[in-house]
Amino acid sequence: MIENENMQNDDNMKKKITDNGVLVISEIQKKVILPYTKGEVKEIYRKNKELYKDEQDVIEKEFTKDFYYYRHQFTSRFREAVELITKREGMSKLDGFNLGSELFLKSYLHPAIISACKNLDELNVYLDCLDKNELDDFKVFDIKYELYPAVISKNDIGIYEKETFFKRLSKFFRKMFKKCEYN
């Protein structure tokens, strides 16, 4: 009996929920973990106990997404911007479309960051910091990337070392025009 209680206490210690102020974008774990507070998790669980086994299940289903959910970055930025405006801000789909169109081509903006923002103000603060190249000033949540190292092949390096066709063509025309000037 005492052994069972100790095992249950160990399980409760493992499942203890704390605030998570970090957006984890992990290619290695193949998932994205959105920031959350203990209060948010408890509130979602309290309102929907029939949908979740426990609070850890809330985190897995509501605050964790598959890494490949964001694999098409352009469309993911658009989709997440529309969702932010329509669902979290309660604005019109037209407003969502406008923001989605604006963010569609912002290649330095990972769509998971839009997902992690609780409201438009947080996103605007991040975009302002991004435009000024001062991401250290963004204090709403931390962002942690876990990515595999990029592999550069010898062929990729050669692109920068070798003369390209256009450089050779340019040199050829310069020589031709120099010869023409002397005649």
Side-chain angles (χ1 to χ4, degrees), residues 8-18 53-57 59:
Q8 287 176 344
N9 286 339
D10 288 343
D11 288 343
N12 289 339
M13 293 298 276
K14 289 178 188 175
K15 292 183 180 181
K16 188 172 182 175
I17 306 298
T18 59
K53 292 182 281 186
D54 56 12
E55 292 171 347
Q56 191 64 41
D57 194 36
I59 293 170

Side-chain angles (χ1 to χ4, degrees), residues 21-160:
V22 180
L23 167 63
V24 179
I25 301 171
S26 179
E27 181 180 23
I28 296 167
Q29 297 179 44
K30 295 184 178 21
K31 61 184 172 180
V32 172
I33 303 169
L34 303 172
Y36 56 85
T37 64
K38 182 179 177 179
E40 284 176 315
V41 173
K42 286 182 181 264
E43 183 68 16
I44 292 170
Y45 180 65
R46 186 183 62 76
K47 287 182 177 179
N48 303 297
K49 283 189 178 185
E50 66 280 353
L51 297 176
Y52 307 104
K53 292 182 281 186
D54 56 12
E55 292 171 347
Q56 191 64 41
D57 194 36
V58 172
I59 293 170
E60 288 297 319
K61 290 181 178 174
E62 299 297 325
F63 296 100
T64 305
K65 294 190 177 192
D66 191 323
F67 181 77
Y68 297 105
Y69 178 75
Y70 300 105
R71 75 177 162 263
H72 303 295
Q73 299 246 333
F74 297 107
T75 55
S76 294
R77 272 191 294 276
F78 182 85
R79 178 187 63 234
E80 293 303 317
V82 170
E83 185 176 312
L84 172 70
I85 292 297
T86 57
K87 292 185 180 174
R88 287 178 255 167
E89 290 290 329
M91 298 170 76
S92 72
K93 288 184 180 181
L94 180 62
D95 292 330
F97 181 83
N98 288 337
L99 181 63
S101 300
E102 182 182 329
L103 300 181
F104 183 78
L105 293 175
K106 286 202 177 273
S107 59
Y108 291 112
L109 174 62
H110 194 285
I113 295 169
I114 302 169
S115 298
C117 291
K118 305 282 187 229
N119 54 48
L120 186 58
D121 291 336
E122 288 182 5
L123 180 61
N124 284 333
V125 169
Y126 181 82
L127 292 173
D128 188 45
C129 292
L130 184 64
D131 288 341
K132 293 178 181 176
N133 199 21
E134 297 172 350
L135 291 176
D136 291 337
D137 292 345
F138 183 69
K139 304 293 184 200
V140 177
F141 52 83
D142 293 329
I143 303 168
K144 179 181 176 186
Y145 290 94
E146 295 176 353
L147 305 172
Y148 289 114
V151 177
I152 300 174
S153 70
K154 290 181 181 179
N155 293 338
D156 292 338
I157 294 170
I159 290 172
Y160 302 107

